[in-house]
Amino acid sequence: MTYKVEFKEVSTVGLETSPVAVALAGLRANEARYYWNKYKHEFVTVPASDDPETLAWVEKILAEREMNFPYKPLEVSSFEVDGIKMAYVFYENGLAVNVMYTLEKGGKRAVGFKLSDGMDIPAEFEGKFKFARQKSKLAGTIRGSFFVIKGEY
């Protein structure tokens, strides 16, 4: 079932099993607001089980840094906007992973990590990444980090 993410009224649809469902929904809504304001693009998610290709693509890119998450993926999103392929995975523990992959050779390509308000920093990130803090009306405090993609995907 596809879900058009609302950012005026935050909903936990699809994220109910997360222990930080409200914060994760706020984080997802924050992303939806960004894409609407910048590109007039509606942010749509599907259950991870409905789009195994997107999940596999993100996992393949994460393997570049030997990152393999044991967390349950709840939702994914994949779309192209302004020459950039974007993919998101929202995990049950409150982690959101996004891939920004410019299709033009030599463009910007990176993986971003965002932690929902109230979740601990996962062990996989200890000593590897520093997280910047950002305040959001929709998501509370978002902690984020990233790495630049080196390979071709």
Side-chain angles (χ1 to χ4, degrees), residues 3-13 15 18 20-36 43-45 74-77 79 86-99 112-120 122 125 131-145:
Y3 172 66
K4 180 184 158 244
V5 180
E6 294 293 328
F7 54 88
K8 293 187 179 170
E9 289 191 35
V10 178
S11 171
T12 59
V13 168
L15 307 173
S18 172
V20 291
V22 172
L24 184 57
L27 195 149
R28 180 180 65 179
N30 188 67
E31 298 300 305
R33 180 178 59 195
Y34 171 80
Y35 286 103
W36 179 255
F43 194 83
V44 176
T45 61
L74 296 178
E75 288 190 329
V76 298
S77 182
F79 55 93
M86 297 295 305
Y88 278 81
V89 180
F90 295 94
Y91 292 92
E92 190 171 46
N93 70 335
L95 172 66
V97 175
N98 71 289
V99 174
F113 303 106
K114 292 186 180 169
L115 308 178
S116 295
D117 210 1
M119 75 173 282
D120 293 329
F125 296 98
F131 286 86
R133 294 180 183 273
Q134 170 188 348
K135 288 283 191 186
S136 164
K137 288 182 182 180
L138 296 170
T141 300
I142 301 171
R143 291 161 293 158
S145 193

Side-chain angles (χ1 to χ4, degrees), residues 38-109:
K38 185 161 177 111
Y39 302 106
K40 297 298 182 231
H41 173 80
E42 291 184 344
F43 194 83
V44 176
T45 61
V46 297
S49 59
D50 289 359
D51 187 359
E53 294 85 17
T54 295
L55 184 59
W57 187 67
V58 171
E59 288 174 344
K60 183 177 180 180
I61 294 170
L62 288 170
E64 184 175 286
R65 288 284 183 106
E66 298 178 6
M67 300 186 90
N68 182 12
F69 300 131
Y71 317 117
K72 179 181 178 184
L74 296 178
E75 288 190 329
V76 298
S77 182
S78 181
F79 55 93
E80 189 180 316
V81 63
D82 205 26
I84 304 168
K85 181 175 179 180
M86 297 295 305
Y88 278 81
V89 180
F90 295 94
Y91 292 92
E92 190 171 46
N93 70 335
L95 172 66
V97 175
N98 71 289
V99 174
M100 176 191 77
Y101 195 88
T102 302
L103 298 173
E104 186 177 302
K105 200 163 184 83
K108 292 181 180 181
R109 296 174 176 173

